[in-house]
Amino acid sequence: MLSVFCFTEFAVEIPVAGGSFAYFRVELGDLAAFIAAGNIIFESVFGGAMVARSWTSYFATLLNHSPDDFCVHTNLPSDFNLLDPIAVVVILLASLTHHLSTRLTSQLNWISTALNTIIILFIITAGFIKGNPSNLSPFLPYAVMGVFRATVVIYFAYGGFDVITTMAEETKNPSKDIPLGLLGSMSGVTVIYCLMALALVLMQSYTVLDVNAAYSLAFQSIGWKWAKYVVALGSLKGITTVLLVGAVKRGRYLTHIARTHVIPPWFGLVSMKTGTPVNGTAFMAIASASLAFFSRLDVLSKLRAISVLFIYTLLFVALLVRRHYLTGKTSASQAFLLTTFIVVIICSSIGTSAYWGLSSGSIGYCIMVPIWFLATAGLAVFVPQCREAKVWGAPMVPWVPSLSIFINVFLMGSVDYESFIRFGVCTIVMLVYYAFFGLHASFDAVYCVGDN
């Protein structure tokens, strides 16, 4: 919800199609925008692949098979040894549907959402009726550490709200519709997710849940085998909706990034016939399908979690810069203090996260948390705000964005090191590309050279 407050200010004040990338480019410059762009692309590709893999699992249970039965088993490493050709087909079909018509995509989403809402209500009701309260004991089987590790993995369930910001340029009344869409969707998702999770663990003990098609097999465990098929069908409809929305998001992100020439403008081509970003949508579909073919769900979910948390952290930094820095108005000393306080906020957040993962004591928190608090307080007292939101502003700046930075960095520390290694490799490849191509091909670089 803290992230939503910050996103909403940018979406209303800068109502353009690029979402996070556009905000970073305005406030932090091209390099930060490119880093964000790369992570946005990673997050979208990982997310699409992950959802498609889930589609295959529920499709298998609908046909009375085990979730992995339709995957091809190989001798590759354990995280990549199940090849999923069905996920590839599903992603490509969803992207093709979006390419043919955004209106058709919207209509299919409405139908799918209506049916899925009925299934969700059925699951929640049945879970509370047939559930066994003893399954809730122990309530924290993996202690607090387990809660935060799980939070990182399921963070993607709350991350879809940023799709709304990519549509700001096409919204008739962004100052009203964007806040309502963001805050309303986040509130609704939170309530539904908690009720769904509670219904699931009431029906089946957490020790025997199937991570690939949990709800279908949970109904089978309580003797409602017929409901297994209803739930699997509903899940397929819901997952299909996510894939369709994801196709809209991925294509628009890539199109806006291509407009700046940081990546080849070919990716920004919009079809004259359908009005959709044909090349960007096709490229992202192929990338997602390739990953979905061989990567397991847990690998994809952790990589996506890191990308999302990283992007949001940069966004909160951008909001602090937007509020506290204005060219020609902010003095050099104030700019130095702003930079210093932001660096201390980030470093203290990283220190707290590292201490959480490496130690079981409390002395580190007694040092790092006060440092974070004092840095935020110093920013509030010694660096005056130079800009106020004209229509919608995040409340309690700098406290809300600073707390958001702290929470997101803390959650990132709960991800295993193998995922960070994979993330680091992707980041290095991205920076090498930027150094040799993106830096010199961007619209701003060409514009400045032309002026000279």
Side-chain angles (χ1 to χ4, degrees):
M1 191 62 77
L2 295 176
S3 302
V4 167
F5 284 132
C6 299
F7 254 99
T8 303
E9 176 169 335
F10 277 113
V12 173
E13 298 293 315
I14 311 176
V16 295
S20 306
F21 173 74
Y23 312 149
F24 294 136
R25 194 159 177 263
V26 170
E27 301 300 337
L28 300 180
D30 267 3
L31 177 59
F34 179 80
I35 294 173
N39 279 280
I40 289 169
I41 293 172
F42 291 155
E43 178 263 327
S44 297
V45 170
F46 297 148
M50 180 177 61
V51 174
R53 296 279 298 203
S54 296
W55 199 99
T56 302
S57 297
Y58 275 100
F59 181 66
T61 60
L62 181 63
L63 299 182
N64 209 27
H65 284 263
S66 297
D68 292 335
D69 278 0
F70 293 159
C71 294
V72 179
H73 295 255
T74 68
N75 294 323
L76 294 172
S78 59
D79 289 334
F80 308 98
N81 63 344
L82 292 179
L83 305 184
D84 191 343
I86 294 178
V88 174
V89 174
V90 169
I91 288 179
L92 296 180
L93 286 177
S95 299
L96 178 62
T97 301
H98 164 60
H99 166 64
L100 293 176
S101 172
T102 302
R103 182 179 296 275
L104 174 61
T105 301
S106 177
Q107 291 172 345
L108 290 175
N109 282 342
W110 273 108
I111 296 171
S112 182
T113 299
L115 294 174
N116 203 42
T117 300
I118 297 173
I119 300 297
I120 287 174
L121 293 175
F122 169 74
I123 291 173
I124 293 173
T125 303
F128 279 86
I129 292 174
K130 294 290 291 184
N132 182 3
S134 65
N135 287 336
L136 298 180
S137 180
F139 193 70
L140 293 178
Y142 301 108
V144 178
M145 176 69 80
V147 173
F148 284 104
R149 286 179 176 170
T151 300
V152 173
V153 175
I154 61 95
Y155 199 88
F156 72 89
Y158 295 84
F161 65 83
D162 61 332
V163 177
I164 298 174
T165 67
T166 69
M167 306 293 288
E169 192 174 302
E170 304 168 53
T171 304
K172 292 182 179 179
N173 188 4
S175 62
K176 177 183 178 182
D177 296 339
I178 294 298
L180 182 62
L182 287 170
L183 296 171
S185 63
M186 177 55 65
S187 301
V189 166
T190 301
V191 173
I192 292 172
Y193 195 101
C194 291
L195 291 175
M196 289 278 287
L198 185 58
L200 177 64
V201 294
L202 279 171
M203 287 189 289
Q204 191 172 30
S205 171
Y206 73 95
T207 58
V208 293
L209 287 175
D210 188 289
V211 297
N212 295 303
Y215 287 94
S216 292
L217 299 182
F219 273 99
Q220 181 174 308
S221 70
I222 63 173
W224 288 17
K225 191 173 181 178
W226 61 270
K228 163 187 172 180
Y229 303 105
V230 175
V231 172
L233 182 60
S235 298
L236 285 177
K237 292 182 177 297
I239 293 170
T240 302
T241 300
V242 174
L243 286 171
L244 290 170
V245 173
V248 175
K249 170 186 174 181
R250 290 191 292 271
R252 277 161 174 75
Y253 266 141
L254 207 62
T255 297
H256 186 85
I257 295 169
R259 288 176 183 174
T260 68
H261 291 200
V262 173
I263 61 175
W266 177 85
F267 289 109
L269 178 66
V270 176
S271 171
M272 297 295 293
K273 182 178 180 180
T274 63
T276 57
V278 54
N279 292 341
T281 300
F283 174 80
M284 296 294 275
I286 293 171
S288 292
S290 300
L291 271 181
F293 183 59
F294 63 86
S295 300
R296 283 181 177 267
L297 276 175
D298 56 343
V299 174
L300 295 168
S301 64
K302 291 173 183 176
L303 282 172
R304 190 189 183 196
I306 296 176
S307 291
V308 171
L309 291 168
F310 184 77
I311 294 167
Y312 289 1
T313 300
L314 279 179
L315 185 85
F316 307 139
V317 172
L319 182 58
L320 291 175
V321 172
R322 176 177 175 81
R323 287 293 195 95
H324 291 272
Y325 181 83
L326 187 61
T327 303
K329 187 174 181 180
T330 304
S331 65
S333 60
Q334 290 174 338
F336 174 78
L337 286 175
L338 173 62
T339 304
T340 302
F341 286 134
I342 290 177
V343 169
V344 173
I345 288 171
I346 294 174
C347 290
S348 60
S349 302
I350 293 174
T352 305
S353 180
Y355 188 79
W356 166 265
L358 299 175
S359 176
S360 59
S362 59
I363 183 68
Y365 305 126
C366 297
I367 298 174
M368 294 298 175
V369 175
I371 290 175
W372 166 83
F373 180 85
L374 291 174
T376 308
L379 182 58
V381 173
F382 297 108
V383 185
Q385 294 189 34
C386 301
R387 183 181 314 179
E388 293 184 358
K390 297 178 181 178
V391 179
W392 172 282
M396 298 178 64
V397 176
W399 292 100
V400 165
S402 179
L403 180 59
S404 300
I405 291 172
F406 183 88
I407 293 173
N408 278 23
V409 172
F410 184 80
L411 288 175
M412 288 174 69
S414 299
V415 181
D416 60 86
Y417 74 93
E418 290 93 347
S419 297
F420 271 104
I421 292 174
R422 293 166 184 146
F423 177 77
V425 171
C426 293
T427 302
I428 291 172
V429 172
M430 175 181 64
L431 292 177
V432 169
Y433 166 85
Y434 181 75
F436 286 97
F437 179 82
L439 174 64
H440 311 286
S442 70
F443 177 81
D444 289 345
V446 173
Y447 181 79
C448 291
V449 171
D451 281 351
N452 290 333

